[in-house]
Amino acid sequence: MSDLSRRGFLRVGVAAAGALALAGCAGGGGGSGGAASLQFAWWGSTARHNSTQQALAAFRKKRPGVQVRTQFSGWDGYWEKLATQTAGGNAPDVIQMDYSYIGEYARRGSLLDLGPYLGKGLDLSGFAKDVVDAGKIDGKQYGVNFGINSMALIWNRTLAKEIGVEVPETFTWPEFGELSKKIADKAPKGVYASEDGAQDGGAFENWLLERGKMFFTPDGKLAYDEKDLTEWFTFWDGLRKAGAAAPPDVQATAAGDVQNSLVATRKAVMDWAWSNQLTAYMSVTKDDIAVHAFPTGDKPGQYYKPSMLLTVSAATKRPQDAIALVNALVTDTDVATPLGSERGVPPSSAIRAALEPKASPSEKLVYAYIESLADKVGPLPPPQPLGAGELHNKVLMNVNQQVGFGKLSIAEGVSRFFDEARRVLK
């Protein structure tokens, strides 16, 4: 979130959000012709946008009395707009939510407790217990898992072959560094081994978990220290200086949709992502795109994560219709089929059974990848504290960019990050 939008959200606070909910100032205003109207917001690629529209068309056929207005954008800007809408009392009725933000929105009273609807409009009986629990905050069900995924190193196999480098099946972080330098030595000018992973929260978390640390302690404090972040920044600074990781000016061109990623634009062989994004990567290039586990360490660094969750605004005026939409998207085969596995492996066993036999090549790769990690993943980290999303999605990137451009030394960047952590974590 930007500072401005976040400060506005924080000023509203729990009390104001509650008052807005009681006043019924939701995003689901009346539709044309007297039909009920819901607003559904999500982020994602063009491929996700198209499949979601197909799913919503199937939902409308089943509930013709409910209009569904859509709010779609890329990841960049999504959270700033959602914070502004929430602060203003006009949040979308159904919100695609990231795991790093659900704790913040739930604890501020901005999300509907879905517990009373379980078995009464919301059927999660086909979900494994740990998949259901991934949507719980402080013991209450605020989200529904919309897809199972894990961290994934996306790589352009065609580009690697042209350069003349084989990517091994597994490698440690030091081995990844050596591989990246080898690619840099062989690659033509302007082509890098990897996007700059220093600013990627998923890559940093994986690196920490393999060292027995986490992002946060149970009471919401940082579970790592300045020495950890210094080592992380130093590793990537060395790769940038060796021409192996993309410099900040090139990395900046990769913002937004995956079509701008350096893997898709053939400026980098590897990118740090999540397994559900493989479909989007394969849809924007004719190159052979593959998925690879993150570098390994002494302990599991990867885990099964909700790729995203479906949540309902606490201020919705039509909770039953919103619940019906959520339920259809994750349990109704007719509605869920167009979504495929682009958001991750479907959490419902019935939906998986229906989709897997007719999965696309990219989806089959995602299924196989998730299955290949079964004996390699660790437990899902607990929900993150207020401000966590801003810290590891925004602050980390901004500080790393300043280090990359030479505006801050590594020591200054680490100090700046921890100063910002004290500001944003609540």
Side-chain angles (χ1 to χ4, degrees), residues 43-124:
W43 74 85
S45 64
T46 301
R48 179 177 300 167
H49 174 66
N50 293 337
S51 65
T52 305
Q53 293 291 2
Q54 294 175 39
L56 293 177
F59 174 76
R60 292 185 188 103
K61 288 181 180 179
K62 297 201 169 193
R63 292 181 74 98
V66 179
Q67 301 288 336
V68 182
R69 295 178 290 119
T70 60
Q71 178 181 308
F72 162 73
S73 71
W75 174 271
D76 292 343
Y78 180 87
W79 300 104
E80 287 83 351
K81 183 171 184 177
L82 181 60
T84 301
Q85 290 175 309
T86 302
N90 61 344
D93 300 273
V94 178
I95 305 165
Q96 182 175 288
M97 179 65 60
D98 188 75
Y99 189 68
S100 62
Y101 284 106
I102 188 171
E104 177 163 356
Y105 278 84
R107 288 170 179 143
R108 293 199 179 281
S110 301
L111 300 180
L112 184 70
D113 178 6
L114 306 180
Y117 301 93
L118 293 174
K120 300 176 182 177
L122 182 59
D123 179 15
L124 303 185

Side-chain angles (χ1 to χ4, degrees), residues 8-27 82-91 95 104-112 142 312-317 386:
F9 184 36
L10 294 179
R11 280 198 298 269
V12 172
V14 177
L20 289 167
L22 292 173
C25 300
L82 181 60
T84 301
Q85 290 175 309
T86 302
N90 61 344
I95 305 165
E104 177 163 356
Y105 278 84
R107 288 170 179 143
R108 293 199 179 281
S110 301
L111 300 180
L112 184 70
Y142 286 104
V312 176
S313 169
T316 182
K317 294 197 294 187
L386 303 180

Side-chain angles (χ1 to χ4, degrees), residues 95-228:
I95 305 165
Q96 182 175 288
M97 179 65 60
D98 188 75
Y99 189 68
S100 62
Y101 284 106
I102 188 171
E104 177 163 356
Y105 278 84
R107 288 170 179 143
R108 293 199 179 281
S110 301
L111 300 180
L112 184 70
D113 178 6
L114 306 180
Y117 301 93
L118 293 174
K120 300 176 182 177
L122 182 59
D123 179 15
L124 303 185
S125 59
F127 288 36
K129 182 180 183 302
D130 60 337
V131 174
V132 174
D133 290 347
K136 289 184 177 180
I137 302 296
D138 302 329
K140 292 185 177 182
Q141 192 81 45
Y142 286 104
V144 175
N145 195 320
F146 205 8
I148 302 168
N149 73 349
S150 189
M151 302 161 183
L153 192 60
I154 305 293
W155 60 284
N156 188 320
R157 187 154 35 195
T158 302
L159 187 55
K161 186 176 181 180
E162 290 174 5
I163 294 171
V165 175
E166 290 288 335
V167 177
E169 290 187 9
T170 61
F171 41 73
T172 63
W173 279 100
E175 289 169 342
F176 165 78
E178 292 305 311
L179 171 65
S180 297
K181 292 175 183 177
K182 181 179 179 181
I183 293 173
D185 290 340
K186 293 188 173 186
K189 184 177 176 60
V191 176
Y192 304 91
S194 168
E195 292 209 6
D196 186 359
Q199 65 186 36
D200 189 280
F204 183 36
E205 184 180 30
N206 174 274
W207 187 84
L208 287 171
L209 288 169
E210 291 178 357
R211 287 155 176 75
K213 296 194 174 185
M214 302 178 75
F215 269 163
F216 301 102
T217 62
D219 60 352
K221 307 296 183 183
L222 281 180
Y224 59 93
D225 56 27
E226 287 88 345
K227 182 180 178 181
D228 297 312

